[in-house]
Amino acid sequence: MLKLMDCTLRDGANVVGKGFDAELTNMMLDGLTKSGVDYIEIGNAGGIGAYEVAGFTKAETDEKYLELIQPYLPKSNIGMFLNAKRYGEKYVKLAAAKGLNFLRVGVDADEADLAIIPIKTIKANGMKAFYSAMKAYLDTPSQIAESAKKLEAAGLDEFTIMDSAGCMLPDDVSRMTEALVKSINIPVAFHCHNNLALSAGNALAAYKSGATILDCGLMGMARSAGNLPTEAAVALMQKYGELKHIDLYTMLEFIDNQLEPIMREKHDYRDAILPFDLVLGISGAHSSFGKLFRQIAKDTGVNLYKLIVEVSAINRKKPTEELVREVAAKLIHDRKEEK
């Protein structure tokens, strides 16, 4: 079963400095857990320890982030990033003491041996050890596979291909993913960046080649040109019958009503693909019918996006007002039945 690793609260923090404030961190933890996202990576953009070791102080402290996650630990798998070059046993012990599910060790792909000691320490402290092959394109698929074998032998639980500069093409992603899937028995993940506007295409190539975890960020938030938007990842993969356990409508409402307004106001960050436009891609509805859908959703109080999807499943060429109101009435009836 395909799963998601949402990296907004770590990689996405690059859009605001090096880390989100407590208010936004709590807001996103709430939205992500209510939506049913599988894995959440949080904290300083530079990883645990970066506040102290690298001076990345435009963030809350590690201790503050670890305090904020406490109410959410039973609701998702929550972890932090650990740069292997900033490794310190005390950071691993702190993460374990605060109940983190995983630490994801990261280092440039051609220096993978630096991750072995951190991985063994993470496992010894009772957490899952994940790994990011940063700048994965520095190595060939066969070299990446050999590194992965070593790390799996050290106790690794998951291996991430990280396209740090967004320079990989779908064929590159497919070859690397296939080489890993054939060489190791642990899950393979893919972390994309959108510098060539290929984040979705590359994520799809990884999935079709055997990756079982996709990295993403709400509203595409991440370093540089951004990542695959979490909401787009869910919408795209639900078309393939995957990620049905994630509540896309709850996620889109969260973005519309809470996240997008505050990110625009506080950080002048805007969503490249608005939830409304994403739903048109899901449903095949044409934007020219937007006024009709919005008016009837407002009149009846039903979820606009669910209305668009349900109507379009019946008629996406030219839905009539009568049809839209009939579907809205059914949604109201279904909502009452659920209660």
Side-chain angles (χ1 to χ4, degrees), residues 211-255:
T212 54
I213 301 174
L214 297 178
D215 282 16
C216 49
L218 290 165
M219 297 169 56
M221 286 188 276
R223 178 189 292 278
S224 188
N227 205 321
L228 171 65
T230 304
E231 60 276 18
V234 178
L236 173 63
M237 297 316 304
Q238 285 189 350
K239 280 182 167 280
Y240 286 86
E242 300 281 4
L243 301 181
K244 295 292 187 179
H245 60 286
I246 296 179
D247 187 339
L248 180 60
Y249 295 118
T250 292
M251 184 179 290
L252 295 180
E253 284 189 341
F254 164 66
I255 293 169

Side-chain angles (χ1 to χ4, degrees), residues 6 20 28 79 87 101 103 130-131 152 173 210 238 263 284 287 296 334:
D6 185 277
F20 288 103
M28 281 189 264
Y87 163 72
N101 177 265
L103 282 176
F130 293 173
Y131 171 76
E152 183 179 26
V173 175
Q238 285 189 350
M263 285 301 300
S287 59
I296 294 175
D334 292 346

Side-chain angles (χ1 to χ4, degrees), residues 235 238 244 248-249 252 275-276 278-285 293 303-316 327 331:
Q238 285 189 350
K244 295 292 187 179
L248 180 60
Y249 295 118
L252 295 180
F276 178 80
L278 184 64
V279 170
L280 300 185
I282 295 168
S283 64
F293 283 121
N303 181 285
L304 170 63
Y305 303 140
K306 191 174 287 188
L307 179 64
I308 293 170
V309 171
E310 294 288 332
V311 169
S312 299
I314 300 169
N315 184 345
R316 59 182 178 178
V327 172
L331 290 174

Side-chain angles (χ1 to χ4, degrees), residues 88-294:
E89 187 176 358
K90 68 177 183 178
Y91 302 127
V92 177
K93 289 186 177 297
L94 173 64
K98 295 297 183 179
L100 281 191
N101 177 265
F102 67 89
L103 282 176
R104 179 153 62 165
V105 182
V107 71
D108 286 352
D110 59 350
E111 300 179 275
D113 285 355
L114 294 177
I116 291 175
I117 290 175
I119 287 167
K120 289 182 176 180
T121 307
I122 292 165
K123 295 296 288 183
N125 280 272
M127 292 177 290
K128 290 183 179 178
F130 293 173
Y131 171 76
S132 282
M134 296 159 56
K135 305 171 190 170
Y137 41 80
L138 295 175
D139 270 352
T140 65
S142 60
Q143 289 170 326
I144 283 278
E146 288 305 310
S147 294
K149 289 177 187 178
K150 286 185 186 179
L151 299 182
E152 183 179 26
L156 187 66
D157 294 297
E158 176 259 301
F159 189 105
T160 307
I161 302 166
M162 187 172 279
D163 181 14
S164 306
C167 65
M168 296 176 75
L169 302 177
D171 285 348
D172 301 326
V173 175
S174 293
R175 283 191 291 269
M176 192 165 285
T177 305
E178 287 167 4
L180 282 164
V181 170
K182 289 175 183 176
S183 300
I184 56 178
N185 297 308
I186 55 177
V188 174
F190 181 71
H191 180 106
C192 45
H193 279 261
N194 203 36
N195 299 68
L196 291 175
L198 283 171
S199 61
N202 283 342
L204 188 56
Y207 162 69
K208 289 188 172 181
S209 299
T212 54
I213 301 174
L214 297 178
D215 282 16
C216 49
L218 290 165
M219 297 169 56
M221 286 188 276
R223 178 189 292 278
S224 188
N227 205 321
L228 171 65
T230 304
E231 60 276 18
V234 178
L236 173 63
M237 297 316 304
Q238 285 189 350
K239 280 182 167 280
Y240 286 86
E242 300 281 4
L243 301 181
K244 295 292 187 179
H245 60 286
I246 296 179
D247 187 339
L248 180 60
Y249 295 118
T250 292
M251 184 179 290
L252 295 180
E253 284 189 341
F254 164 66
I255 293 169
D256 263 342
N257 300 330
Q258 297 182 67
L259 185 59
E260 197 277 336
I262 197 169
M263 285 301 300
R264 181 164 26 92
E265 179 184 347
K266 291 183 70 171
H267 300 290
D268 195 30
Y269 185 90
R270 297 170 188 273
D271 201 347
I273 306 174
L274 295 172
F276 178 80
D277 296 313
L278 184 64
V279 170
L280 300 185
I282 295 168
S283 64
H286 194 271
S287 59
S288 60
F289 300 111
K291 184 177 179 180
L292 173 64
F293 283 121
R294 284 192 171 100

